[in-house]
Amino acid sequence: MIVLGIESSCDECSAAVVEDGRNMLSNVIASQIEFHKPYSGVVPEIASRKHVEWIAGVVQEALDLADVTKDDIHGIAVTSRPGLVGSLLVGLSFVKGLSFALEKPFVSVDHIRAHLYAPHLEYDIEYPYLGVIASGGHTIICTVRSYDDIEILGTTIDDACGEAYDKVAKYFNWGYPGGPVIDRMAQTGNPKTFSFPLPSLHKGDHQYDVSYSGLKTAVINQLDQFWNGEDEKSDENIAASFQERAIDMLARKVAAALENTGLTRIVTGGGVAANTELRKKFSAIPNSETLFPSISLCTDNGAMIAGIGYHYLQNKGPSDYAESVFSRVEGFRRINQ
Ligand code: KG4
Ligand code: ZN
């Protein structure tokens, strides 16, 4: 079964052709980064306009690269939540039109579940496992029992991990998006230059939650307070010290969740899954096996949408033309709630 997947929830306009939920025939990603760079963040109005301009061309390129025609595809999958409503609407409306014209079924899918599906495009992964989604919009630690059955163990109580990277980089004028920039700078920095605080979050029901707002504030406003008094207060040393704490916070929660749930596999998705330090720290957690998608499948892409869409089309059937878009995640159960 050949599925065309379309992703337009944020600033990546992407389309992919995937066979049987696994075999990637193409994955075209048109990034809008250059257009948002002057603002050091995604401007929703610009994002939806660019999607309108690009989507037809991106889809055609994905079909051409896969060497298939519109008639060869059996179904279409599209992100409908969560994300920027205007951007999501461009993708969903385009897909509804295409589905109607071609008389092919379409299914709307959840972007967060799709991020966790991304590594399944490359590896045979058995359920259950501990899932970690770390992106610009979300930081979620969860138990994953199937592509559709996800129970949230912990999440951020304020900023997402990638968002903290982006905001720190914006403040220091290091570039956009902040994640890859800080990751690169941190390679030559000394992480012991500043001992930024770890948040003291309440235990019990929310023991796996994380918080990035305090760390962000400390890096931006309280550098001197956490300086070791010896090493240079260089950009690289600030970046390395920030990254050390940002990733350590997540790795500690992941290690605790593994121990308490008895799970042994960690599967990570989302833009921050590309991070060098995160890959190192997660891989070092004892008695566990860690899987990451290739770098190009960490950030937003159409292949993960086509991949998970195949399973929805097979098992649940197509969506209705009345389907709409939603800015927030929904349908996730949170443990103890
Ligand atoms: O998954 P994604 O493409 O979009 C969302 O769904 O949010 O993730 C984008 C986020 C941005 O915040 C970006 O700074 C971050 O992922 N990111 C990274 C790295 N590469 C991308 N963060 C840390 N280290 C990286 N190497
Ligand atoms: Zn994403």
Side-chain angles (χ1 to χ4, degrees), residues 226-302:
F226 300 106
W227 184 41
N228 66 10
E230 291 169 17
D231 299 302
E232 198 192 333
K233 294 183 207 168
S234 65
D235 287 351
E236 287 74 16
N237 288 349
I238 298 171
S241 304
F242 161 76
Q243 171 148 296
E244 205 284 322
R245 273 296 186 270
I247 300 303
D248 187 48
M249 191 188 329
L250 200 53
R252 281 171 191 243
K253 300 289 178 174
V254 168
L258 271 186
E259 196 171 322
N260 296 339
T261 56
L263 295 167
T264 55
R265 256 186 310 279
I266 314 167
V267 175
T268 308
V272 188
N275 186 268
T276 321
E277 181 69 12
L278 183 144
R279 288 181 172 231
K280 216 186 292 168
K281 278 233 161 83
F282 280 20
S283 302
I285 297 174
N287 308 319
S288 67
E289 175 199 7
T290 315
L291 284 167
F292 300 102
S294 306
I295 302 293
S296 64
L297 291 176
C298 288
T299 42
D300 296 346
N301 65 85

Side-chain angles (χ1 to χ4, degrees), residues 7 9-12 82 111-112 115 133-138 160-167 176-184 243 247 269-278 295 297-301 304:
E7 157 64 36
S9 68
C10 194
D11 60 344
E12 247 75 63
H111 183 86
I112 298 300
H115 266 307
I133 300 141
S135 70
H138 300 89
C161 185
E163 185 181 358
Y165 269 87
D166 295 338
K167 286 181 175 169
Y176 173 81
V181 176
I182 291 182
D183 196 2
R184 202 165 45 243
Q243 171 148 296
I247 300 303
V272 188
N275 186 268
T276 321
E277 181 69 12
L278 183 144
I295 302 293
L297 291 176
C298 288
T299 42
D300 296 346
N301 65 85
M304 66 184 191

Side-chain angles (χ1 to χ4, degrees), residues 21-330:
R22 181 74 192 259
N23 183 20
M24 267 185 291
L25 302 180
S26 66
N27 188 25
V28 176
I29 304 170
S31 172
Q32 304 179 356
I33 283 178
E34 285 310 313
F35 300 92
H36 301 286
K37 233 179 200 161
Y39 309 94
S40 298
V42 178
V43 182
E45 175 70 11
I46 296 177
S48 30
R49 279 175 191 277
K50 287 289 155 205
H51 285 305
V52 170
E53 286 171 25
W54 290 357
I55 195 160
V58 167
V59 167
Q60 192 55 54
E61 195 179 333
L63 294 170
D64 291 346
L65 280 175
D67 204 16
V68 297
T69 67
K70 290 189 180 93
D71 292 329
D72 296 325
I73 57 174
H74 301 107
I76 313 165
V78 60
T79 312
S80 66
R81 63 195 174 275
L84 300 169
V85 166
S87 294
L88 288 166
L89 262 180
V90 176
L92 182 63
S93 310
F94 183 88
V95 166
K96 282 181 185 175
L98 194 60
S99 155
F100 189 78
L102 298 176
E103 297 181 12
K104 311 265 179 176
F106 83 95
V107 68
S108 73
V109 308
D110 180 289
H111 183 86
I112 298 300
R113 287 184 172 87
H115 266 307
L116 270 183
Y117 187 84
H120 290 261
L121 291 162
E122 302 174 293
Y123 305 101
D124 287 317
I125 309 173
E126 271 179 50
Y127 294 102
Y129 56 75
L130 191 79
V132 184
I133 300 141
S135 70
H138 300 89
T139 310
I140 295 172
I141 299 173
C142 51
T143 302
V144 186
R145 298 194 182 86
S146 82
Y147 67 93
D148 195 34
D149 183 358
I150 293 173
E151 184 170 45
I152 296 188
L153 300 171
T155 181
T156 178
I157 60 165
D158 39 55
D159 292 348
C161 185
E163 185 181 358
Y165 269 87
D166 295 338
K167 286 181 175 169
V168 166
K170 178 177 181 175
Y171 176 81
F172 289 106
N173 247 324
W174 288 339
Y176 173 81
V181 176
I182 291 182
D183 196 2
R184 202 165 45 243
M185 289 168 62
Q187 303 308 315
T188 51
N190 174 3
K192 296 200 182 339
T193 311
F194 302 91
S195 300
F196 295 121
L198 278 170
S200 51
L201 289 167
H202 34 252
K203 300 258 185 300
D205 291 355
H206 297 275
Q207 62 176 310
Y208 306 117
D209 280 354
V210 290
S211 163
Y212 282 101
S213 154
L215 173 61
K216 178 193 67 187
T217 305
V219 176
I220 290 176
N221 297 318
Q222 301 164 313
L223 270 184
D224 285 335
Q225 199 175 318
F226 300 106
W227 184 41
N228 66 10
E230 291 169 17
D231 299 302
E232 198 192 333
K233 294 183 207 168
S234 65
D235 287 351
E236 287 74 16
N237 288 349
I238 298 171
S241 304
F242 161 76
Q243 171 148 296
E244 205 284 322
R245 273 296 186 270
I247 300 303
D248 187 48
M249 191 188 329
L250 200 53
R252 281 171 191 243
K253 300 289 178 174
V254 168
L258 271 186
E259 196 171 322
N260 296 339
T261 56
L263 295 167
T264 55
R265 256 186 310 279
I266 314 167
V267 175
T268 308
V272 188
N275 186 268
T276 321
E277 181 69 12
L278 183 144
R279 288 181 172 231
K280 216 186 292 168
K281 278 233 161 83
F282 280 20
S283 302
I285 297 174
N287 308 319
S288 67
E289 175 199 7
T290 315
L291 284 167
F292 300 102
S294 306
I295 302 293
S296 64
L297 291 176
C298 288
T299 42
D300 296 346
N301 65 85
M304 66 184 191
I305 306 302
I308 196 169
Y310 160 79
H311 293 278
Y312 282 115
L313 284 168
Q314 287 279 69
N315 302 323
K316 295 197 167 170
S319 298
D320 192 90
Y321 281 107
E323 185 69 29
S324 195
V325 298
F326 301 92
S327 60
R328 297 188 164 275
V329 285
E330 59 166 42

